[in-house]
Amino acid sequence: MGIVAGLDSSSESTRIVVCDTDTGAVLRQGYAPHPQSSPEGDPQAWLISLGEAATGGLLEGVQAIGVSAQQHGLLTLDAGGVLVRPALLGNDKRMQAAAADLTDALGGRAAWAEAVGAVPQAAQPLAKLRWLARNEPESAARVAAVLQPHDWLVWQLLGRPARCTTDRGDASGTGFWSAATGGWRPDLVELALGRQAALPEVLGPAEPAGHTPEGLLISVGTGETMAAAFGLGVGIGDAVISMGASGSVFAVHHSALADSTGTITSFADATGMHLPVVHTLNAVRVLRGTAELLGTDLPGLSELALQSSPGSYGLVLLPYLEGERTPHLPHTAGTLAGLRRESMKPEHLARAAFEGMLCGLTDALDVLRGRGVEVRRVFLLGAAAELPAVQAIAPSLFGAQVVVPQPADYAALGAARQAAWSLGVQQGVLSPQQPPLWPAAASQVFDPSGDDLGVGQAVRQQYVTVREQTHPGAFNAS
């Protein structure tokens, strides 16, 4: 078929991969940093970064481009298509009060979960619109249209046409699009902003957003999470656990999951399926904190942990260092239980940190399982996935095969795969229902044995017992 490119404009940089449409093989790559990230951003800098990443003939011969970008950013345009103000980005915490106000304004968490599959969060464009209306009313009065970063980049690449577009995946993170119905909720935009604003047209996964004057196809694009899932090649039966300072657990599912507690956020994916996600506030920060306490680093902590045994000699760490979102314990702190003279050794504390972090992520995984989501494989993302202690402990706790993909620009690869899909449909060689079958990511695979599963269940039960004694009914209340 030809050559396509995928670009990922994250909060830190632009990465471009140029791929063969038939095999998915990466032919060329480009990279350029963004200016230092802050809660507000200059979208023009994203375009400059894109141009820098594409120098040296990187895009020569490319027939289609897919765009992935950081999620939850808000770009507001006036009636002439000019930015009203700098972009408000996903890491802006000023919107917490606005999110709480909106939750109450519609009647609580259950009402929002029913309306759009998500309870308002500070990161969402929805909360940003409410903040803008309350704090910058003059700017809010000029807003004629709202976009997210990937929408704006696609619009710019196409030469700023009259039509703005987005996809299901990025739309599902706004707080005013329903994954269950597949439609916008303009009434919720008005609830947040105090007035209506134009919203982009939501295209299907393989639909092109348009063509440049030179005839280059631009696919619909998507958000980073959805692009990374597409680049990894996950499907039904797969869950993905991303371990940053905090954690997220999502899985591919055939339908949206309305959750009256708001624990599950109903995202859509980039293929026509759904990505229900559960967040935790604590993941690798637990390991880093423990490593600092023991005067070592993460590899050193891993080595220590493997000198202990499953169950950490009775030590249990509830890893709620920043409070917790799953279960809903926003004002709590971490707990170290089971201290006895024989357990007070560095290696047992190190293992308790790994077991506590992974049990917390298993809690999130079990929320999805409890709603009928099938989990046969768990993909682990993040640098901590390479730690031997994680690889040794995770399979038995998760009760599933653990896959650790080789580090790669999966969001950019997902964008490229989408471009190849859209191009193939245009050329009549691919179906709109079936994306190109690119090879799976190169990975390490860890299978739990029968004995390991029994040990993992015992460790898990020890953790759950301490969690229930310390925070009775925490999950029932979440």
Side-chain angles (χ1 to χ4, degrees):
M1 276 165 40
I3 300 174
V4 295
L7 72 88
D8 176 44
S9 180
S10 71
S11 58
E12 298 175 349
S13 63
T14 299
R15 297 180 183 273
I16 301 176
V17 294
V18 176
C19 300
D20 180 275
T21 55
D22 296 320
T23 67
V26 176
L27 307 176
R28 301 186 290 272
Q29 299 183 69
Y31 167 85
H34 288 176
Q36 189 169 358
S37 179
S38 70
E40 298 193 0
D42 176 11
Q44 295 297 330
W46 307 340
L47 288 179
I48 293 170
S49 173
L50 194 166
E52 292 173 348
T55 56
L58 186 77
L59 300 180
E60 186 176 342
V62 165
Q63 297 162 274
I65 295 177
V67 177
S68 159
Q70 57 181 302
Q71 290 169 239
H72 301 311
L74 176 69
L75 290 88
T76 50
L77 306 181
D78 66 15
V82 176
L83 284 166
V84 170
R85 66 178 319 287
L88 294 168
L89 304 182
N91 61 348
D92 196 330
K93 297 181 179 179
R94 291 176 293 177
M95 288 76 190
Q96 290 174 341
D101 288 347
L102 285 164
T103 302
D104 294 338
L106 198 66
R109 296 164 68 87
W112 279 99
E114 179 67 25
V116 292
V119 175
Q121 300 292 329
Q124 290 175 321
L126 175 86
K128 292 176 172 61
L129 287 174
R130 168 59 70 100
W131 181 89
L132 196 65
R134 295 288 185 269
N135 293 275
E136 298 180 7
E138 292 183 1
S139 294
R142 292 176 53 207
V143 174
V146 296
L147 298 175
Q148 292 189 92
H150 122 251
D151 311 333
W152 187 83
L153 286 167
V154 166
W155 185 59
Q156 292 290 331
L157 289 173
L158 292 174
R160 300 162 56 97
R163 180 181 79 157
C164 292
T165 61
T166 193
D167 84 307
R168 299 167 62 256
D170 225 5
S172 66
T174 60
F176 42 85
W177 185 88
S178 168
T181 66
W184 290 116
R185 289 289 303 267
D187 58 314
L188 300 182
V189 174
E190 186 165 357
L191 178 68
L193 185 62
R195 48 195 290 276
Q196 291 290 340
L199 302 172
E201 181 181 347
V202 181
L203 302 180
E207 283 188 76
H211 293 77
T212 67
E214 297 76 26
L216 184 66
L217 183 149
I218 307 295
S219 64
V220 62
T222 194
E224 274 190 318
T225 299
M226 298 78 193
F230 197 33
L232 280 167
V234 296
I236 293 291
D238 294 331
V240 178
I241 295 181
S242 179
M243 296 184 296
S246 57
S248 67
V249 181
F250 66 82
V252 180
H253 198 51
H254 55 79
S255 62
L257 294 177
D259 172 29
S260 60
T261 70
T263 303
I264 299 173
T265 298
S266 290
F267 284 152
D269 82 343
T271 72
M273 301 289 283
H274 294 267
L275 285 180
V277 62
V278 179
H279 294 279
T280 70
L281 293 181
N282 300 279
V284 180
R285 62 166 43 98
V286 178
L287 304 184
R288 293 197 184 282
T290 308
E292 289 173 9
L293 182 65
L294 295 176
T296 186
D297 55 12
L298 292 187
L301 189 74
S302 175
E303 186 176 342
L304 268 176
L306 293 177
Q307 296 171 19
S308 181
S309 56
S312 309
Y313 267 65
L315 277 188
V316 175
L317 177 63
L318 299 183
Y320 306 149
L321 306 188
E322 296 289 321
E324 190 46 81
R325 184 169 168 183
T326 306
H328 187 62
L329 298 167
H331 306 300
T332 194
T335 301
L336 183 63
L339 281 169
R340 293 183 175 86
R341 180 65 190 89
E342 62 270 21
S343 66
M344 295 177 69
K345 295 182 178 180
E347 61 266 30
H348 303 322
L349 177 56
R351 188 170 185 109
F354 280 96
E355 290 179 345
M357 177 193 75
L358 291 169
C359 280
L361 292 168
T362 306
D363 277 346
L365 191 63
D366 284 350
V367 170
L368 296 178
R369 283 173 163 149
R371 292 298 306 278
V373 175
E374 181 182 7
V375 178
R376 294 191 303 270
R377 297 191 300 176
V378 176
F379 286 71
L380 282 184
L381 303 183
E386 301 288 339
L387 295 173
V390 168
Q391 296 172 356
I393 298 169
S396 63
L397 287 180
F398 296 157
Q401 182 183 82
V402 168
V403 180
V404 180
Q406 179 179 306
D409 297 328
Y410 288 108
L413 284 168
R417 190 179 177 200
Q418 185 194 71
W421 190 8
S422 192
L423 180 65
V425 171
Q426 177 184 270
Q427 295 175 337
V429 297
L430 288 177
S431 161
Q433 285 72 47
Q434 180 61 55
L437 298 175
W438 287 7
S443 305
Q444 294 176 278
V445 177
F446 303 90
D447 287 299
S449 69
D451 291 343
D452 288 341
L453 286 172
V455 170
Q457 288 171 358
V459 172
R460 180 97 173 97
Q461 186 54 54
Q462 177 178 269
Y463 176 91
V464 170
T465 298
V466 172
R467 189 194 68 211
E468 284 302 304
Q469 288 173 347
T470 309
H471 304 287
F475 270 97
N476 296 334
S478 65

